[in-house]
């Protein structure tokens, strides 16, 4: 067996996979965020480590024997800032990628050109919850906090150090923290650009291969463990998205649209992420909008989630002219453009409009946002889809129609953990049939031409941005 562990923002999951990719057992535990002040979002690192220990222990209680596990792989949430001491224990608060305390600093970088220069040199658009702004913010406002730390880590790197003693990060997590995507090594000039060259010692070594070691204790003592890539590329691996031009749509609280590429492009509008992979890059557009926006809309019109499919069938494509811009995050939008003041709109309302029209407009608006992201990311090939929002076949059909290409539903709900397990198999030289592991379970072919509604959506987006 191979075990995959996914340490996400809202929970930790451990999955044991049989040699053919079938799920043997799954255990999960929820995690909470804290909000100690306005715009501040933190997580308790010790609770995260305890959650990983708990789910692995429960796998053993379910009959998964450590001596039958050939390897384990670890993935988790990206960005944020997890300050550690020399033993990998918390040396300060773990700042979530949702944290907004660095917003004034990022606003300043956008005004003075630092934001664009960082993007042109890294392919990553700085946002308040990313590592560089958080480090720079603490260095200016609370330098003693950084003085106490040995490592400025990411979530999975913290777990890796606690479980194996290995202090390192992988290329994907290093990409958004002072790494040159051309050479795939750290660049001290990027640190100087952010005023952080004196904090270089906080950065963990970047491993050309996935960091690896043996688990030192607990239920899986002695099992080889690899860390990385983080959740976006891990999900791509778990969904079988490996060819340049192919993409993955993750329909979750936020939409994540990502495309594998073998050509580095640092042009275009600064937005999204360029994540280094051993043999290429992943161009990611993790939008701030997603199922949270649809949940809000359903609540506003008094519709239950189990009514979604029936309602979508009661309104035609185009929603009888009702249009929805899904920018409901208090932080605005970060992909495929960065606009902290972007806000949502619902247009085309009249007395003849029904709840079904409003709901369809919401689902179409989110699908339009996904296409906008994919076009910016350079999608040219096939699209796989995964995430919590894949439960509605009617909504998946809308995504296929709007994208104008077939959607392949990824196998099972454990895509991130599967990606972690598959990359662990590669790291430790284990032979598995990846095509079988990642085979799709269903295809959704485009049925309706949505080009004209999509062009109207783009016009609405331009109008919104011009008004800000």
């Amino acid at each position: 067996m191979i075990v995959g562990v996914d340490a996400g923002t809202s929970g930790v999951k451990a999955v044991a996979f049989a040699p053919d990719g079938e799920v043997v057992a799954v255990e999960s535990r929820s995690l909470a965020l804290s909000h100690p002040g306005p715009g501040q979002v933190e997580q308790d690192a010790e609770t995260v480590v305890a959650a990983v220990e708990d789910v692995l222990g429960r796998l053993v209680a379910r009959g998964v024997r450590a001596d039958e596990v050939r390897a384990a792989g670890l993935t988790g949430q990206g960005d944020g800032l997890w300050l550690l001491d020399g033993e990998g224990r918390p040396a300060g608060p773990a700042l979530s990628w949702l944290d907004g305390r660095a917003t004034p600093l990022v606003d300043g970088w956008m005004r003075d050109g630092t934001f664009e220069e960082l993007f042109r040199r890294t392919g990553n658009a700085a946002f308040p919850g990313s590592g560089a702004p958080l480090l720079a913010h603490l260095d200016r406002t609370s330098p003693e906090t950084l003085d106490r730390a040995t490592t400025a880590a990411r979530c999975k790197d913290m777990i890796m150090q606690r479980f194996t003693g290995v202090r390192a990060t992988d290329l994907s997590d290093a990409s958004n923290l002072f790494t040159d995507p051309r050479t795939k090594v750290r660049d001290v000039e990027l640190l100087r650009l952010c005023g952080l060259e004196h904090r270089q010692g906080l950065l963990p070594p970047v491993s050309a291969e996935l960091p690896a070691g043996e688990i030192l204790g607990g239920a899986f003592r002695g099992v080889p463990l690899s860390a990385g890539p983080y959740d976006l590329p891990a999900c791509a691996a778990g969904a079988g998205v490996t060819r340049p031009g192919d993409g993955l749509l993750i329909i979750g609280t936020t939409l994540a649209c990502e495309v594998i590429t073998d050509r580095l492009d640092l042009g275009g509008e600064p937005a999204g992420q360029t994540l280094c992979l051993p043999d290429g890059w992943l161009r990611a557009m993790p939008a701030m909008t997603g199922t949270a926006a649809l949940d809000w809309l359903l609540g506003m019109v008094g519709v239950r989630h189990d009514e979604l499919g029936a309602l979508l069938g009661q309104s035609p494509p185009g929603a009888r002219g009702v249009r929805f811009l899904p920018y409901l995050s208090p932080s605005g939008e970060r992909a495929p453009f960065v606009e902290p003041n972007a806000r949502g709109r619902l247009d085309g309302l009249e007395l003849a409009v029904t709840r079904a029209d409003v709901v369809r407009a919401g689902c179409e608006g989110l699908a339009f946002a996904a296409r906008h992201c994919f076009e910016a990311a350079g999608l040219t090939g096939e699209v796989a889809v995964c995430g919590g929002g894949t439960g509605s076949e009617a909504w998946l059909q809308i995504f296929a129609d709007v994208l104008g290409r077939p959607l392949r539903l990824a196998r099972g709900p454990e895509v991130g953990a599967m990606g972690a397990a598959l990359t662990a198999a590669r790291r430790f030289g284990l032979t598995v049939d990846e095509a079988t592991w990642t085979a799709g379970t269903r295809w959704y072919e485009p049925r309706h031409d949505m080009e004209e509604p999509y062009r109207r959506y783009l016009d609405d987006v331009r109008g919104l941005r011009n008004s800000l």
Side-chain angles (χ1 to χ4, degrees), residues 332-424:
E333 190 50 89
R334 64 176 179 174
F337 55 87
V338 177
E339 180 46 73
N341 297 310
R343 294 297 181 266
R345 278 176 31 187
L346 189 62
D347 295 327
L349 300 179
E350 55 155 318
L351 291 176
V353 165
T354 67
R355 290 193 305 170
D357 298 326
V358 173
V359 170
R360 174 171 276 275
C363 290
E364 289 181 351
L366 287 160
F368 294 145
R371 176 168 170 179
H372 199 185
C373 286
F374 272 128
E375 289 182 347
L379 176 70
T380 58
E382 297 179 351
V383 180
V385 59
C386 66
T390 59
S392 169
E393 293 194 355
W395 195 16
L396 290 179
Q397 185 60 54
I398 288 175
F399 277 107
D401 292 342
V402 168
L403 293 174
R405 60 185 72 221
L407 278 185
R408 174 174 59 86
L409 182 61
R411 177 183 179 184
E414 323 301 347
V415 177
M418 179 176 284
L422 284 172
T423 52

Side-chain angles (χ1 to χ4, degrees), residues 437-458:
W437 276 56
T438 62
T441 59
R442 183 163 182 171
W443 289 84
Y444 294 83
E445 299 286 340
R447 296 177 184 172
H448 303 286
D449 182 357
M450 297 295 288
E451 288 301 311
E452 185 176 344
Y454 178 59
R455 297 303 159 191
R456 286 198 299 268
Y457 171 85
L458 293 179

Side-chain angles (χ1 to χ4, degrees), residues 39-396:
Q40 299 180 0
V41 184
E42 299 179 359
Q43 205 153 27
D44 185 85
E46 292 294 347
T47 299
V48 175
V49 172
V52 177
E53 293 173 340
D54 179 50
V55 294
L56 290 176
R58 283 196 266 160
L59 282 184
V60 172
R62 291 271 303 274
V64 177
R65 292 172 46 186
D67 60 358
E68 295 179 346
V69 176
R70 301 181 65 193
L74 173 65
T75 188
Q77 57 181 294
D79 295 303
L81 185 63
W82 299 64
L83 297 174
L84 310 177
D85 66 15
E87 297 181 351
R89 298 186 180 279
L95 310 187
S96 169
W97 61 273
L98 292 163
D99 193 274
R101 72 190 71 192
T103 298
L105 183 142
V106 174
D107 289 342
W109 283 0
M110 295 182 79
R111 290 191 298 270
D112 67 18
T114 302
F115 173 85
E116 180 156 0
E117 186 172 354
L118 281 170
F119 179 81
R120 299 301 171 207
R121 295 175 63 171
T122 68
N124 289 283
F127 68 96
S130 53
L134 287 172
L135 263 177
H137 171 79
L138 289 181
D139 189 62
R140 297 179 186 186
T141 63
S142 182
E144 67 281 1
T145 300
L146 297 184
D147 292 341
R148 290 194 300 268
T150 302
T151 304
R154 299 292 170 81
C155 179
K156 65 174 178 56
D157 301 329
M158 179 269 299
I159 298 169
M160 184 68 179
Q161 187 170 354
R162 293 289 292 277
F163 272 67
T164 68
V166 174
R167 177 183 181 263
T169 192
D170 78 297
L171 280 172
S172 69
D173 255 333
S175 300
N176 206 11
L177 203 61
F178 315 113
T179 296
D180 185 330
R182 302 171 187 86
T183 62
K184 299 184 180 178
V185 297
R186 287 250 169 76
D187 183 354
V188 69
E189 292 301 320
L190 294 170
L191 282 154
R192 290 195 183 100
L193 182 61
C194 300
L196 290 168
E197 62 272 24
H198 58 296
R199 298 295 186 182
Q200 184 175 2
L202 287 175
L203 304 181
V206 181
S207 178
E209 293 187 293
L210 298 181
E214 285 192 357
I215 297 177
L216 299 175
F220 280 75
R221 182 185 179 92
V223 172
L225 176 68
S226 70
Y230 89 82
D231 58 5
L232 291 182
C235 284
V241 178
T242 58
R243 296 181 306 181
D246 285 356
L248 175 66
L249 169 62
I250 306 173
I251 309 175
T253 303
T254 59
L255 294 176
C257 303
E258 47 191 63
V259 177
I260 300 289
T261 181
D262 55 4
R263 295 186 305 124
L264 183 63
D265 182 4
L266 303 180
E269 180 169 1
Q273 298 172 310
T274 301
L275 305 179
C276 296
L277 305 176
D279 54 355
W281 298 269
L282 182 74
R283 189 75 174 105
M285 292 287 169
M288 295 301 291
T289 191
T291 57
L294 182 60
D295 292 345
W296 174 87
L297 189 63
L298 295 179
M300 287 290 289
V301 298
V303 172
R304 302 190 311 272
H305 282 82
D306 60 6
E307 298 176 280
L308 181 60
L311 279 173
L312 290 177
Q314 296 171 22
S315 180
R320 296 191 179 94
V322 181
R323 306 190 307 280
F324 180 58
L325 292 183
Y327 308 127
L328 302 186
S329 169
S331 302
E333 190 50 89
R334 64 176 179 174
F337 55 87
V338 177
E339 180 46 73
N341 297 310
R343 294 297 181 266
R345 278 176 31 187
L346 189 62
D347 295 327
L349 300 179
E350 55 155 318
L351 291 176
V353 165
T354 67
R355 290 193 305 170
D357 298 326
V358 173
V359 170
R360 174 171 276 275
C363 290
E364 289 181 351
L366 287 160
F368 294 145
R371 176 168 170 179
H372 199 185
C373 286
F374 272 128
E375 289 182 347
L379 176 70
T380 58
E382 297 179 351
V383 180
V385 59
C386 66
T390 59
S392 169
E393 293 194 355
W395 195 16
L396 290 179

